Amino acid sequence: MLRAIDRDRYRVIPIGITRDGVFVLEDDDPDKFALDADRLPEVVDNGTRVVWPEGGADRVLRVRRADGGVDELGRLDVVLPILHGLHGEDGTVQGFFDTLGIPYAGGGVLDSALCMDKHFMKIVLAAAGVPVSPWVTVTRSRWESDPEGVRADAAALGEPSFVKPARAGSSVGVSKVHVASELDAALALAFAEDDKVLIESAIVGREVEVAVLEGRNGSGARASLPGEIVLTTREFYDFEGKYLGGSGADVVCPADLTEAEIAAIQELGIRAFDAVDGRGLARVDFFLAADGLYVNELNTMPGFTPISMFPKCWIASGMTYPELITELIDTALERAA
């Protein structure tokens, strides 16, 4: 879901994208897109077509109605792209808005693309001296041509391990491999989502996360108080636990940490954000192990649901939800200026 903000008239214009890539004018009704385990929400084609500004001096947002008539919705000031996954977090829509000269909140093309691809994200973080879990990247072609070599590489990482698509999110296609006999099925699940897959050593430790915001007026990025994912009955923080309120995982913020641990997490979160040339915002996920901190991943457009860690961390740090959204919008407008 995109939200085009017309600040001159204080209007929020919801824009949906269908599975076929059609931009439609949506209803300003949050309940319509409530997360339900029995029926996940979906943007459907209602016959409208959002007509984006043509670039240059044109900043007017228009909609073509189902009957063919065109209405002007007002001057477009900024877009808040609340989009996950491919075409939302991978830099694609960000490049689209850059081409049109439309300001938008959140990550840019580079940091979005880097963080969407876990293989390149790890390479960049490791090059910047940010600790990451040991891993091997496997392409579909290599798995098909050299399965024994892949199994040997996986064995060298130890057990248990995690298998995940390189360019998917929300824990889709992720498996925990306890013994070697589970590897083939885990790879099949991951390859159903992407033709490039990571096998990672499982880090034993607490799962902590910190929310990062881009600095304002030339200042550096800043980090919130950390939160923690406390697993009770789940093996890992999967899609159901993240978005559907499933039992077995609790989101706790602020986390029960020492002042030294909080400072270390905030410092490393900002280092990771800077390493990927972060813009706007990110949620940085860590493992706090006995031998130190490891960055698991960065999300350049993290969840904003009532149970999501990113807003919870900033609320725990003294910011209200409306102030957080305002901060993202004002940062985007300041960058554009």
Side-chain angles (χ1 to χ4, degrees):
M1 178 70 73
L2 301 172
R3 289 192 179 271
I5 313 295
D6 179 350
R7 291 172 62 89
D8 294 337
R9 301 179 186 175
Y10 302 98
R11 294 179 63 197
V12 178
I13 302 171
I15 298 170
I17 306 176
T18 70
R19 290 183 180 274
D20 295 327
V22 177
F23 291 89
V24 298
L25 188 65
E26 261 298 348
D27 299 322
D28 193 7
D29 179 12
D31 292 338
K32 182 177 179 179
F33 295 96
L35 292 172
D36 187 334
D38 296 324
R39 185 179 181 277
L40 291 176
E42 180 179 352
V43 175
V44 297
D45 191 343
N46 56 23
T48 65
R49 294 294 183 267
V50 171
V51 182
W52 293 99
E54 297 179 355
D58 180 21
R59 291 285 291 279
V60 175
L61 187 67
R62 302 172 177 87
V63 60
R64 187 169 68 249
R65 305 287 181 179
D67 62 6
V70 177
D71 298 331
E72 291 191 357
L73 300 177
R75 182 181 184 276
L76 178 58
D77 289 299
V78 65
V79 173
L80 179 60
I82 306 295
L83 298 167
H84 294 303
L86 294 175
H87 310 306
E89 286 181 280
D90 62 358
T92 307
V93 76
Q94 289 79 10
F96 172 70
F97 292 132
D98 280 341
T99 301
L100 295 179
I102 298 173
Y104 56 92
V109 173
L110 178 62
D111 55 330
S112 298
L114 278 177
C115 294
M116 187 67 193
D117 191 311
K118 297 177 179 65
H119 168 75
F120 289 108
M121 177 193 68
K122 280 178 171 280
I123 289 175
V124 170
L125 292 178
V130 175
V132 295
S133 60
W135 88 99
V136 61
T137 300
V138 182
T139 61
R140 188 190 304 275
S141 61
R142 189 195 168 202
W143 172 236
E144 292 173 349
S145 64
D146 183 25
E148 291 308 316
V150 172
R151 295 187 183 106
D153 287 346
L157 292 171
E159 296 172 349
S161 63
F162 281 95
V163 175
K164 60 182 67 173
R167 294 162 295 201
S170 304
S171 297
V172 175
V174 177
S175 302
K176 187 173 183 178
V177 175
H178 306 83
V179 294
S181 60
E182 297 175 348
L183 178 66
D184 288 23
L187 286 169
L189 183 66
F191 278 127
E193 303 295 331
D194 195 357
D195 59 7
K196 185 167 64 174
V197 167
L198 272 67
I199 307 173
E200 298 177 337
S201 296
I203 302 296
V204 178
R206 298 168 65 182
E207 294 188 42
V208 293
E209 302 180 351
V210 73
V212 178
L213 287 171
E214 179 184 347
R216 301 281 301 280
N217 300 312
S219 62
R222 57 203 190 277
S224 70
L225 289 172
E228 181 174 8
I229 305 299
V230 180
L231 300 177
T232 53
T233 59
R234 291 184 184 275
E235 285 259 53
F236 61 95
Y237 198 32
D238 59 9
F239 182 88
E240 183 181 3
K242 287 181 177 179
Y243 296 103
L244 304 182
S247 61
D250 296 323
V251 177
V252 179
C253 193
D256 184 11
L257 299 162
T258 67
E259 290 187 8
E261 288 170 334
I262 292 172
I265 291 166
Q266 291 175 326
E267 187 271 337
L268 190 58
I270 291 172
R271 278 179 56 198
F273 185 77
D274 290 341
V276 299
D277 198 21
R279 291 174 52 180
L281 75 160
R283 193 193 70 234
V284 187
D285 301 347
F286 302 85
F287 293 112
L288 176 56
D291 61 346
L293 284 165
Y294 294 83
V295 170
N296 182 32
E297 64 178 3
L298 288 86
N299 283 268
T300 55
M301 184 47 72
F304 274 85
T305 71
I307 62 172
S308 297
M309 184 67 86
F310 188 89
K312 278 179 174 287
C313 283
W314 281 115
I315 290 170
S317 303
M319 185 180 290
T320 67
Y321 193 94
E323 287 172 343
L324 176 58
I325 300 300
T326 299
E327 177 75 12
L328 295 175
I329 293 169
D330 286 347
T331 300
L333 291 171
E334 180 180 291
R335 186 193 306 130

